[in-house]
Amino acid sequence: TKSRPFSVVVAIDFGTTSSGYAFSFTGDPEAIHMMRRWEGGDPGVANQKSPTSLLLTPELKFHSFGFAARDSYHDLDPEEAQHWLYFDKFKMKIHSISDLTMETELEAVSGRRVKAIEVFAHALRFFKEHALKEVKDQSSSVLERDEVRWVITVPAVWRQPAKQFMREAAYLAELVSHDSPEQLLIALEPEAASIYCRKLRLHQVIDLSLRPMTREQLRKARHSRTFLVESGTGEFWSEMQTGDRYIVADCGGGTVDLTVHQIEQPQGTLKELYKASGGPYGAVGVDLAFEAMLCQIFGEDFIDSFKAKRPAAWVDLTIAFEARKRTATPGRSNGLNISLPFSFIDYYKRHRGQSVETALRKSNMNIVKWSSQGMLRLTAEAMNELFQPTINNIIKHIEELMKKQEVQGVRFLFLVGGFAESPMLQQAVQNALGQTCRIIIPQDVGLTILKGAVLFGLDPTVVRVRRCPLTYGVGVLNRFVEGRHPRDKLLVKEGREWCTDILDRFVSVDQSVALGEVVRRSYTPARTGQRKIIINIYCSATDDVVYISDPGVRKCGAITLDLPEALPGTVAGVERREIRATMQFGDTEIKVMAVDVASERTVRATIDFLSN
């Protein structure tokens, strides 16, 4: 319960490849301010996000973030660079690790390891300082810490532990304190995009069926720093006349995240029609394909050795490739040149006793040539080959989603996220899906999520109904029924026959859950004087489960209820205490509250998915 309302919302879009923040004052919610352009970056681009790159000193102290981290790492002496810790694309690790904890480690480019939570906290702290400074510059009054509501974006396909991990990193970075968790919202990326898309006007979108996105449009979209949004729903929808359901495909650096929404009129709230789907098929897949191609040409052992001994030069090479990757277009007949760092050419010659040029000739990779200017020349076929697997995965995912019963007849597809700027992806999606639906791209496609996250912070109740990604429940004892329950589940206790391990379902996979809808259960301590009740939570990706021991069911977290001393005057042991727990599954995170029924006192209740 908050003493006073928030006066400003700051959203951080923490992306795999690029990140940024934006904010809005609650007194003027129609204006969204994009972050200032920092040192580095492309000249002439006003609102560009910053690369998600972090540099730590050999003593593990924060040094720099973004373009500054790139440049500083580049300028280090190669011997020295081996001791510094440079991290990029580290958000993907959180997606791929199945047993994420506070102890999980990340590896820097040079191979040194450090706790993942520290890396995330360094980045968030950096954003906090930059954003607050900028907010203060634009605000007339003095800002107290509790007047800021923070929003951090995560992929919708992330599981509960990953979302909690982000929240813990924010506590560590001191964005908010543990005592006021409501000051931080976790927003789901495609959901944020959707919130923004429903406010669009016709001139703010590009319909791929009519024309591809031009470079001029991209350039223009990147020049403005303050954006005005409609109150209510944008005119785009009133002109559409074809229903109010749509898919948002958020194609980012790391993940592809698909969400299906329906706009509920007249309030303009959103209702999720199918659970979030997608996977690790972001633009990084193209970079990994390029790395695999280099391994094929020069040998995997050489590439590994080069990375370890010349980490900064390796980073330069990946940056050079990414810059060219952005310019790749489908109709292009001529190839793309990528300059190899001098140390790569030199290191290869010393290691292999032959030139890079010879290696290329011998590798039988006819789609990659050595250009006369001393560059790696990727032909158009080579570029297609690098993009194809990732693009095919994205299209396959969208096609599978469109086959689902709940998604039948949806005629609109919004393409958002950084990878949606790629003409390669745009054309492939238009070719594959353009017959079945209209593909719409917001003009400022790379900033869609950031703006939507600010709108979400201004009004988190806008998404009214979500779908559960998993079935959740706890293990309970039920009366044993002969013939219905298997004998190996029989437990005899004080002369009574019980069946163990039965799953008491809280919610089922793909169930619709409205905001504020709760699941209530009562729990009684097993013995008097007990100070804690710990309840294990189990989850399953399918709903056809009966016992917590069934295949596909796993323990995924625990609820802890801290019991206060029993009130004086109640005779211990005569009446069993009842603790009523209330759980919410309709939000972006799972929440729990509890009350001691007899005394009506609130009981401290926590839910943990990270120390499993």
Side-chain angles (χ1 to χ4, degrees):
T1 48
K2 198 152 163 38
S3 49
R4 59 168 157 191
F6 302 111
S7 61
V8 64
V9 169
V10 182
I12 299 174
D13 175 9
F14 195 133
T16 300
T17 43
S18 63
S19 297
Y21 59 85
F23 57 94
S24 179
F25 294 101
T26 50
D28 181 18
E30 312 269 293
I32 297 177
H33 309 274
M34 298 304 297
M35 66 184 212
R36 265 194 216 115
R37 191 165 73 84
W38 307 329
E39 66 286 0
D42 303 340
V45 176
N47 58 29
Q48 190 181 26
K49 291 198 293 186
S50 150
T52 310
S53 311
L54 172 73
L55 183 61
L56 304 181
T57 68
E59 297 74 42
L60 307 184
K61 292 268 180 288
F62 176 87
H63 181 272
S64 47
F65 185 89
F67 291 109
R70 274 185 175 184
D71 295 346
S72 306
Y73 195 52
H74 170 90
D75 292 340
L76 285 172
D77 177 84
E79 284 305 306
E80 221 185 328
Q82 291 182 45
H83 304 289
W84 287 62
L85 292 88
Y86 180 85
F87 297 90
D88 59 1
K89 308 188 182 113
F90 49 87
K91 184 178 165 192
M92 276 309 285
K93 297 281 188 298
I94 302 307
H95 180 80
S96 51
I97 291 171
S98 52
D99 49 351
L100 183 64
T101 68
M102 299 288 279
E103 305 303 314
T104 298
E105 292 189 319
L106 290 178
E107 202 173 290
V109 178
S110 58
R112 281 187 66 184
R113 301 177 72 80
V114 69
K115 275 193 191 166
I117 195 94
E118 303 278 352
V119 174
F120 279 75
H122 277 306
L124 288 173
R125 207 173 287 123
F126 173 83
F127 283 125
K128 178 184 79 170
E129 286 160 10
H130 267 268
L132 286 181
K133 185 174 180 312
E134 201 171 330
V135 168
K136 286 188 176 118
D137 288 351
Q138 294 208 25
S139 158
S140 43
S141 58
V142 180
L143 253 196
E144 296 301 327
R145 186 174 146 172
D146 62 351
E147 283 182 83
V148 182
R149 165 169 263 166
W150 295 91
V151 181
I152 300 176
T153 66
V154 304
V157 287
W158 269 17
R159 299 274 191 229
Q160 197 57 46
K163 294 176 183 170
Q164 185 183 333
F165 181 87
M166 244 345 178
R167 176 171 281 281
E168 296 292 344
Y171 290 145
L172 190 58
E174 296 182 339
L175 262 72
V176 302
S177 75
H178 280 280
D179 311 328
S180 47
E182 72 292 334
Q183 222 186 311
L184 167 68
L185 296 177
I186 298 292
L188 309 181
E189 286 156 9
E191 209 170 86
S194 175
I195 292 169
Y196 177 68
C197 286
R198 81 188 209 303
K199 288 192 171 289
L200 287 171
R201 305 186 61 124
L202 221 50
H203 64 84
Q204 296 170 305
V205 301
I206 291 134
D207 187 331
L208 281 189
S209 54
L210 306 177
R211 63 188 188 284
M213 190 164 186
T214 64
R215 290 194 94 143
E216 181 56 20
Q217 282 166 323
L218 246 178
R219 199 185 62 73
K220 266 217 194 90
R222 286 180 152 188
H223 269 277
S224 150
R225 269 192 58 223
T226 298
F227 296 88
L228 294 172
V229 286
E230 304 290 299
S231 49
T233 317
E235 59 178 7
F236 172 77
W237 295 102
S238 48
E239 292 169 34
M240 280 316 184
Q241 304 296 314
T242 50
D244 38 15
R245 301 181 306 153
Y246 55 91
I247 298 172
V248 174
D250 169 18
C251 308
T255 42
V256 165
D257 224 353
L258 308 174
T259 294
V260 192
H261 274 160
Q262 178 165 19
I263 299 185
E264 301 176 303
Q265 297 299 10
Q267 330 76 302
T269 48
L270 296 170
K271 174 178 165 186
E272 194 170 27
L273 299 179
Y274 188 72
K275 66 175 192 286
S277 58
Y281 311 114
V284 166
V286 184
D287 308 342
L288 294 173
F290 175 64
E291 188 178 325
M293 182 189 270
L294 290 177
C295 289
Q296 216 179 323
I297 299 170
F298 301 109
E300 194 168 341
D301 51 340
F302 169 74
I303 296 293
D304 286 346
S305 157
F306 180 70
K307 271 191 200 170
K309 289 282 182 284
R310 299 280 184 273
W314 170 254
V315 170
D316 287 343
L317 177 52
T318 57
I319 290 170
F321 173 72
E322 281 165 38
R324 305 311 290 142
K325 175 183 82 172
R326 289 181 198 286
T327 65
T329 50
R332 201 185 171 117
S333 49
N334 54 347
L336 292 170
N337 284 337
I338 291 159
S339 54
L340 288 175
F342 172 73
S343 63
F344 185 97
I345 298 167
D346 179 55
Y347 197 78
Y348 189 78
K349 192 156 182 74
R350 285 199 317 210
H351 256 68
R352 287 282 204 264
Q354 62 172 7
S355 69
V356 164
E357 203 176 339
T358 313
L360 268 171
R361 263 210 316 279
K362 287 189 178 163
S363 72
N364 299 329
M365 287 280 268
N366 343 358
I367 52 175
V368 184
K369 304 265 188 275
W370 184 246
S371 79
S372 50
Q373 306 102 316
M375 292 190 184
L376 211 53
R377 184 158 186 75
L378 299 185
T379 60
E381 301 100 296
M383 247 355 199
N384 277 329
E385 215 165 281
L386 295 178
F387 273 88
Q388 230 41 61
T390 300
I391 287 179
N392 289 346
N393 263 322
I394 293 174
I395 289 170
K396 190 180 87 200
H397 259 79
I398 299 174
E399 287 176 337
E400 310 230 305
L401 176 65
M402 294 179 93
K403 287 188 193 127
K404 302 278 188 253
Q405 192 190 331
E406 297 89 335
V407 192
Q408 294 292 310
V410 175
R411 292 282 165 263
F412 284 99
L413 173 66
F414 280 97
L415 219 45
V416 303
F419 197 19
E421 290 183 351
S422 164
M424 302 286 276
L425 180 64
Q426 290 180 7
Q427 188 176 329
V429 170
Q430 179 60 31
N431 290 349
L433 305 166
Q435 299 307 307
T436 39
C437 57
R438 287 181 69 179
I439 295 149
I440 310 287
I441 301 187
Q443 274 184 343
D444 42 7
V445 56
L447 302 170
T448 308
I449 289 156
L450 199 41
K451 295 178 190 175
V454 174
L455 295 173
F456 179 70
L458 290 167
D459 178 15
T461 63
V462 49
V463 182
R464 201 187 59 80
V465 182
R466 291 185 176 87
R467 297 281 181 141
C468 289
L470 298 166
T471 290
Y472 286 100
V474 294
V476 295
L477 295 177
N478 276 1
R479 281 293 173 77
F480 191 87
V481 179
E482 198 63 61
R484 190 170 100 201
H485 294 140
R487 297 296 300 178
D488 62 343
K489 299 280 183 205
L490 174 63
L491 170 76
V492 180
K493 201 171 160 191
E494 293 162 13
R496 283 210 175 129
E497 297 195 336
W498 298 95
C499 177
T500 60
D501 287 351
I502 289 183
L503 178 74
D504 168 27
R505 256 180 203 67
F506 292 160
V507 286
S508 295
V509 61
D510 214 27
Q511 175 187 334
S512 287
V513 189
L515 212 57
E517 202 174 298
V518 296
V519 177
R520 287 198 178 85
R521 292 288 188 277
S522 289
Y523 296 104
T524 304
R527 48 178 205 283
T528 52
Q530 187 177 334
R531 302 310 306 272
K532 259 188 175 41
I533 301 180
I534 295 178
I535 303 151
N536 287 330
I537 300 174
Y538 294 85
C539 68
S540 159
T542 56
D543 199 37
D544 52 0
V545 290
V546 181
Y547 303 101
I548 59 174
S549 54
D550 285 354
V553 181
R554 57 191 171 85
K555 176 177 172 259
C556 60
I559 294 176
T560 303
L561 307 173
D562 289 343
L563 305 179
E565 307 261 357
L567 287 179
T570 55
V571 186
V574 176
E575 50 176 327
R576 313 235 2 227
R577 290 173 78 181
E578 184 191 339
I579 308 293
R580 187 174 299 143
T582 305
M583 289 154 292
Q584 276 185 330
F585 290 89
D587 226 318
T588 57
E589 298 169 276
I590 298 173
K591 303 201 167 107
V592 62
M593 293 164 301
V595 166
D596 185 334
V597 176
S599 66
E600 293 184 356
R601 282 196 296 177
T602 301
V603 171
R604 201 179 120 81
T606 50
I607 186 161
D608 182 25
F609 291 90
L610 271 183
S611 44
N612 202 24

